[in-house]
Amino acid sequence: MSILPARLRRPANKSFAPRIKSGIVPGAIWMSFVLLVITGCGAPGEPVPPTPPVAVAVSDLIAHQAGDGVQVTFTMPGRSITGDRLLSTPAVEILRGGTKPDGSPNLKSLRVVDTIPGALAEKYFVGDKVQFTDPLAPEETKTQTGKIAIYAVRTRLSQKRASANSNIVSLRLFPVPARVASVEARVTEPAIELSWAPTNRTSAGDPLTAPVRYNIYRAELDDASTNLAGHDVSQLNLNGKLQLLATQPEQTYSDKSFEFGKTYAYIVRAVLDRNGAALESADPTPAVVTPRDTFPPAVPQAISAAVLPGETDNTLVVDLSWSINVEPDFAGYRVYRSEQPDAKGQLLTQELLPTPAYRDTSVESARRYWYVVTAVDRAGNESAPSPPALVEIAQPLQ
């Protein structure tokens, strides 16, 4: 006989299974349900946006005064502080400040004075460096004469966070010569002749107390720049293209190293030595010129003519010769014959003669002929006719 209380005895022939009445949930099951609701059945939470990258700090900043401005040069960072390669070009912020009373850099004075958007940074690349000029008013350089300015740059890929500041550079500011008013360019056969008015004042209008010299620069323009040059030369971007041709005190210069058909931009900067540094003026509007070869060779000289027997009996020929042309672009000669003393006459040479000699085998007896020779260059320019050479063939041919 069972000793269990009657309420706990298992009914005969029935399986032991607890019964849950409708609408009643035991405590353990209820707690499990609450936890599932809270945890979302183990699903992840809302996606978190990635943290924008921060570029490493620029470490090679240099600066120098360029006209009424300060030109900064540096390498654009290509990696983030975590070592990842940057997928876009960051914006650049240029900071300017001053010094403490003891002359040391006052880092708290640094303020953003210029910004280069990342999309426009390519415009300022010169080789593998970024080159940007922070403009200063002439009155500012005048009032800051001899004072030290400090510069730094930083980059930014998002509004939330910028890179650390670059290395700090400092320089003393001085008034510079006024820009050259204009440069005139005149094309001659041997040279492009440049000229400009002298510079005798600073950019702020004060008289210069020291002599100046001039740096002459030339840039060869590509097709895109050439098209722009025909509309607004002030918009030409000559960064990295300028080549220093000469430094001199005179206000004229002959460029003999040009090539016809190419397009060049010339600028001249006045230079003043201050505090051991050469300070250049700001750039004038470039003088843009495309020299065309419209200059014919020299007129052939010393034409001589002789009547000689032909290759067959009873025939004559006229043998012509003259002095040689020495132009570097010389292409050849043309020979003309006329029976009138003042007429150029008929062209005898369909092809250019490379040498200064010609034999005319088409002469007739009892005739007078006047021969002239011209020189032609590779551009197709033809010289004026030479002095005529008269030939008389009086004897009849038998």
Side-chain angles (χ1 to χ4, degrees), residues 299-303 371-374 383-389:
V299 175
Q301 300 293 324
I303 308 295
Y371 292 93
V372 296
V373 180
T374 63
S383 73
S386 67

Side-chain angles (χ1 to χ4, degrees), residues 138-159:
E139 294 75 13
E140 188 170 0
T141 55
K142 177 180 178 179
T143 58
Q144 298 292 321
T145 299
K147 293 185 179 180
I148 298 175
I150 65 172
Y151 277 83
V153 297
R154 66 190 181 204
T155 60
R156 185 183 294 275
L157 284 161
S158 71
Q159 292 295 325

